[in-house]
Amino acid sequence: MLEIIKKNRTVRKFTQKQIPDQDFDNIIESVRFTASAANLQKLRYITVKDSGICEDIFKCLMWAGYLKAWDGPKVNERPTSYVIAVTEEISTPQTWFDIGIASEALLLNATSKGYGGCIFLSIDREQLKKCLQTDYEIVTVIALGEPAEKVVVDDVIDNNIKYYRDENGIHHVPKRRMEDLIVKEFRNR
């Protein structure tokens, strides 16, 4: 499991290969079995594989805030599918608890099948609601597809956590070292 977690990186460039329906449905089914605060199960999902609607969704997303000189993936690098998590109201901390668990489960399952994704909170929610013709509140959008970029993890240096692309187009994601994460430890001797 740890190897899948390590491999699960945010992907912002995709091939145009469609995820087969059987894989896509299996990935979506992940959310059914995730934990939910008080087992309320308030999240619902809109799934999209239609290329025209995918283009409409793409226009409602803000891509890679740290990459100031990048406007997002080119037409031939865009996601081939999306999962939009929705709810009747985003009014409780439980919604954010649930979406974190569900999103990670979905992406871990996708990663285990060779796909990748990107979770969005920077969304033009009102425009997206119009595109999707829904009254549900948009919680998050998850872009999915076959990765078309290399993403590597580096140790954080000088407390700089900003991801970047090097001169070869490799996407680097700084992560804190274990010794920086553990602030206190109790173990049996």
Side-chain angles (χ1 to χ4, degrees):
M1 188 59 163
L2 183 57
E3 291 310 308
I4 294 171
I5 292 169
K6 287 179 181 179
K7 191 176 175 184
N8 178 30
R9 308 280 22 116
T10 296
V11 174
R12 294 180 179 86
K13 291 182 181 181
F14 302 87
T15 70
Q16 295 308 287
K17 181 180 175 186
Q18 290 286 328
I19 298 174
D21 287 342
Q22 183 177 357
D23 283 352
F24 188 72
D25 294 344
N26 183 272
I27 291 166
I28 303 305
E29 190 175 18
S30 304
V31 300
R32 177 173 176 244
F33 297 102
T34 60
S36 173
N39 203 33
L40 295 174
Q41 304 174 56
K42 297 258 183 174
L43 296 175
R44 299 293 182 267
Y45 301 89
I46 298 170
T47 63
V48 178
K49 290 182 72 176
D50 176 276
S51 59
I53 298 173
C54 282
E55 185 60 30
D56 291 341
I57 294 169
F58 178 84
K59 294 173 186 174
C60 297
L61 305 174
M62 285 53 122
W63 289 80
Y66 289 148
L67 303 179
K68 302 297 182 195
W70 190 60
D71 293 329
K74 298 174 187 169
V75 173
N76 63 342
E77 299 172 331
R78 294 182 181 169
T80 56
S81 55
Y82 290 94
V83 177
I84 299 93
V86 299
T87 189
E88 290 180 359
E89 61 178 337
I90 307 174
S91 61
T92 65
Q94 289 89 342
T95 301
W96 298 108
F97 176 88
D98 286 3
I99 197 59
I101 293 171
S103 298
E104 186 68 3
L106 191 145
L107 286 178
L108 287 170
N109 193 357
T111 298
S112 76
K113 296 178 181 330
Y115 306 109
C118 184
I119 303 170
F120 289 89
L121 291 176
S122 296
I123 306 161
D124 183 338
R125 285 176 171 78
E126 290 309 310
Q127 183 60 35
L128 185 54
K129 284 171 73 171
K130 289 177 191 172
C131 291
L132 299 173
Q133 301 174 13
T134 185
D135 291 326
Y136 278 103
E137 294 300 319
I138 308 288
V139 182
T140 191
V141 173
I142 301 173
L144 290 171
E146 182 180 77
E149 68 179 331
K150 183 175 181 179
V151 182
V152 298
V153 172
D154 300 319
D155 287 341
V156 168
I157 298 172
D158 296 329
N159 215 29
N160 182 359
I161 49 82
K162 293 182 178 180
Y163 51 80
Y164 64 95
R165 291 218 169 99
D166 67 20
E167 62 279 355
N168 297 315
I170 296 173
H171 192 87
H172 292 262
V173 181
K175 291 290 185 184
R176 298 188 192 283
R177 298 170 310 172
M178 278 301 297
E179 55 265 28
D180 297 329
L181 295 177
I182 307 298
V183 295
K184 193 175 276 194
E185 189 170 40
F186 299 93
R187 293 186 185 215
N188 288 327
R189 292 180 187 230

